């Protein structure tokens, strides 16, 4: 099979699309023939070497944390899914023709491969954030960074829970935020005041998916600092906010099942821009620029 790969840390130019060993599904895993795999910011962070702790790259590096495709191998202890099923989910090294998933859900037949691929990391992360914040019907949540991958899915999952959602973006994305059910505010200096004006006071919860606003400003929007959850500002804990990176807080199978239902009911719509794998570097550069609307997806 072929996979996106690199033999030295660097910018997207070091990526190549070439031969790689086909992985196998271990216990509790499935393997898919990949039809689409999304680009997440973690991919270019890994590629740059920023996540390596200063270590040199050992061997070949592979990338990708989610994908959609057709099951072609089922690992030990896995039930409820068979070879030939169409699924989407989370895994490792998914930017390849074949990839192993460790959490998945059935792909709704009405949903494009690229959209399903875009729902893995974003859906799991949004479900986790909204659950940690215990977002309920009638509450008001502020999502800082609402037009990107996680943000746009988080907005729609919060709306589906019956919450009133205020979300930040650049001016250019305000129409998009309205389309997906949020009240838009401009990010950057003074964002706290704009959120208060839109909410008519404080909000019940803040989901920080951008990590750009000073955490003290976000904490001032809620009655308890712990009602701020960040996925992108790892220093946010210093102000009493909660930081989540997944791990034990993650319930990926439940999250993906919910995401599958929302996709099937058109309550979750993900805007995607697709690229053939040969042009992955282009998609990585756009992601790195930090102003993605929706998701970037690679197609074999
Ligand atoms: N901890 C976890 O479990 C976890 C999981 C997934 C992702 N993440 C991290 O979360 C972050 C977001 O991921 P993503 O996939 O959603 O990224 P993305 O798709 O690249 O999102 C970029 C978005 O950020 C917005 N943005 C740029 N500057 C901003 C600012 N100053 N204030 C608020 N929003 C701003 C952009 O809006 P405009 O286009 O309007 O400028 C764009 O919509 C990344 O750092 C990623 O690594 C963490």
């Amino acid at each position: 099979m072929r996979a996106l790969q690199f033999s030295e840390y660097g910018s997207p130019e070091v990526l190549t699309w070439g031969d790689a060993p086909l992985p196998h599904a271990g216990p509790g895993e499935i393997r898919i023939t990949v039809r689409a795999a999304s680009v997440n910011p973690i991919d270019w962070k890994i590629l740059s070497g920023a996540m390596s702790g200063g270590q040199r790259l050992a061997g070949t590096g592979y990338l990708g944390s989610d994908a959609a495709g057709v099951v072609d191998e089922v690992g030990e202890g896995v039930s409820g899914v068979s070879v030939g099923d169409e699924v989407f989910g989370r895994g490792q090294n998914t930017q390849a023709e074949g990839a192993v998933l460790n959490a998945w859900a059935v792909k709704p037949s009405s949903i494009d491969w690229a959209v399903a691929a875009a729902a893995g990391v974003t859906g799991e992360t949004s479900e986790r954030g909204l659950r940690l914040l215990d977002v309920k019907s009638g509450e008001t949540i502020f999502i800082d960074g609402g037009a990107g991958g996680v943000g746009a899915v988080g907005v729609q999952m919060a709306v589906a829970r019956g919450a009133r959602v205020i979300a930040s973006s650049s001016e250019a994305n305000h129409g998009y935020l309205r389309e997906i059910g949020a009240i838009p505010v401009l990010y950057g200096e003074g964002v706290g005041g704009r959120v208060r004006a839109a909410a008519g006071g404080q909000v019940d919860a803040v989901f920080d998916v951008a990590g750009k606003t000073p955490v003290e400003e976000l904490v001032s929007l809620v009655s308890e600092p712990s009602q701020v959850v960040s996925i992108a500002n790892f220093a946010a804990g210093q102000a009493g906010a909660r930081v989540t990176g997944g791990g034990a807080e993650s319930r990926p199978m439940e999250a993906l099942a919910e995401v599958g239902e929302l996709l099937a009911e058109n309550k979750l719509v993900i805007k995607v821009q697709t690229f053939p794998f040969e042009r992955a570097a282009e998609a990585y550069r756009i992601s790195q620029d930090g102003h993605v609307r929706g998701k970037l997806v690679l197609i074999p």
Side-chain angles (χ1 to χ4, degrees), residues 82-149:
S82 309
V83 169
D85 287 355
E86 298 184 349
V87 298
F88 71 99
R90 272 191 0 178
Q92 273 185 343
N93 305 338
T94 56
Q95 292 170 359
E97 288 174 328
V100 168
L101 300 183
N102 48 38
W104 59 87
V106 171
K107 182 186 85 65
S109 56
S110 57
I111 297 302
D112 282 356
W113 289 109
V115 171
V121 167
T122 58
E124 186 282 321
T125 308
S126 294
E127 186 278 338
R128 173 161 34 97
L130 298 179
R131 171 166 42 82
L132 292 173
L133 289 164
D134 195 21
V135 171
K136 292 190 282 290
S137 182
E139 290 188 341
T140 300
I141 179 172
F142 170 50
I143 301 188
D144 200 14

Side-chain angles (χ1 to χ4, degrees), residues 18-38:
D19 290 337
L22 184 65
H24 286 284
E29 299 174 334
I30 59 172
R31 189 181 67 197
I32 58 171
T33 300
V34 172
R35 302 292 299 270
S38 97

